[in-house]
Amino acid sequence: MSKYKKLILIFLCIFLFIVVPAGISLFLFWPRFQVQEFIATTQVEYNASMEYQVGNVCYGNFFECKDVFVERKGDVNTTALGCYQLTYLYSYQGKEFELKQVVEVVDTTVPELQITNDEIYYCSNKSLQNVEMMATDNYDGDLSQKIEYNFENDHIEFWVEDSSGNRSTVSKKAILKDIEAPNITLNGDADIYLTVGETFADAGATARDNCDGDLTDQIEISGSVDTSKKGDYTITYSVKDHSENVSSLTRVVHVAEKNIEVTPNGKTIYLTFDDGPSKYTSELLDVLKKYNVKATFFVTNQNLTKGYDSVIKRAYDEGHSIGLHTSSHNYNIYSSVDSYFNDLYAIQNKVKNITGYTSMLIRFPGGSSNTVSKAYDGGTKIMSKLSKEVERRGFKYVDWNIVSGDAGETTDTNQVVSNVIGSLGNNSTYVVLQHDIKEFSVDAVAAIIEYGLSHGYTFRPYTLTSPTVHHQVLN
Ligand code: ZN
């Protein structure tokens, strides 16, 4: 063996048995710091729970890992999108060191997009018919208003995007077909009330279709009205859209018979008393009894009438006519036809309960010519409707042609007397308006009766067959 070969062998042995093991030992046992699996930048989902690093640090050597984490500076609020910087502090053998981490709170959740119906019908103008769309997002909330759509061949692609750019899409089958019938609207009321001889002018109707637009001139009207004959006449309005969807609506014209007017012989005075009964009504009945005169009471159910039911009974039993004024005597009864009749039927029931008699005689609060109802009826001309509707329902109403002035013009008994007798003449029918809730007016009755009797007038109770006295309807 040569000298060189020996040397090479010696070096090789030194290398294999000393240098390599020493190197491996140094590698394994050399002190070091190492943070395991530390992620310097990371993302966390909006609203998720944040899991912080715990600082798992190995030191000393490969075989020994210990926690030398000291503290964390900074927090991550996962309910607010954005970047958060965290600092982790560590300590080892009196030396401190820190690691920084950036955490980004992100919204990667797509909105929930819901489209009702699997087949969507649309008009040729591309408007959709049977679709309800809803979109909610975990971060943005309701996104229903942001849903957009596009036609793609025989499908409609709906999509919505949240503020972080997350997008949901839903595809539905699209069918070109009008599935909605047109909408007809009557001009004027669905019920028209007329009396025989009046003329009927049809106000017509309008029609609109979801796909075709205005179809008013396509409306076909059928049915006719004969106002010379009593009856209910139906008019039908029909319209078809381009897809043959048909709508129709009807109007009923009620033609009522005219009042039959009966004029008694001679000059007649009808004394009428509104708003009672009251504490003065018994006294009034005594006066009427003394002269054997029958009058007419248009009764109410106002508070001041409480306790005077027996007076209504007495008036009825003594042959006076009991008419219906109003239950509440509140002008809001003129807000609608229904509200008027609810009030009217209430007072009719009260009279029936007290007397057993169903009165069909009416005096409108304020008279049929009142305009106070304009403040309540919303411009619907309620008196024009009611003055016909009460007759259609079999009632008779009466106004007056002599004003006693006791409604506010005077509080003087003598003035009431002269107002009434000063208005009397040679006509056959005088209907006097007084109020038996006013003592000064009740006190005037004896003098009015004495004047009337001594001047050839007959006093009668007003009934359903008495001559009609109507004001001109002004609303
Ligand atoms: Zn009244």
Side-chain angles (χ1 to χ4, degrees), residues 10-22:
I10 288 164
F11 275 113
L12 203 66
C13 288
I14 289 170
F15 185 78
L16 272 176
F17 299 107
I18 298 170
V19 176
V20 171

Side-chain angles (χ1 to χ4, degrees), residues 12 77 159 193 226 352 393 459:
L12 203 66
N77 177 9
W159 78 86
Y193 299 103
D226 181 358
K352 174 139 203 236
R393 298 193 191 194
F459 289 87

Side-chain angles (χ1 to χ4, degrees), residues 274-275 325 329 435:
D274 286 6
D275 292 3
H325 191 36
H329 214 300
H435 297 82

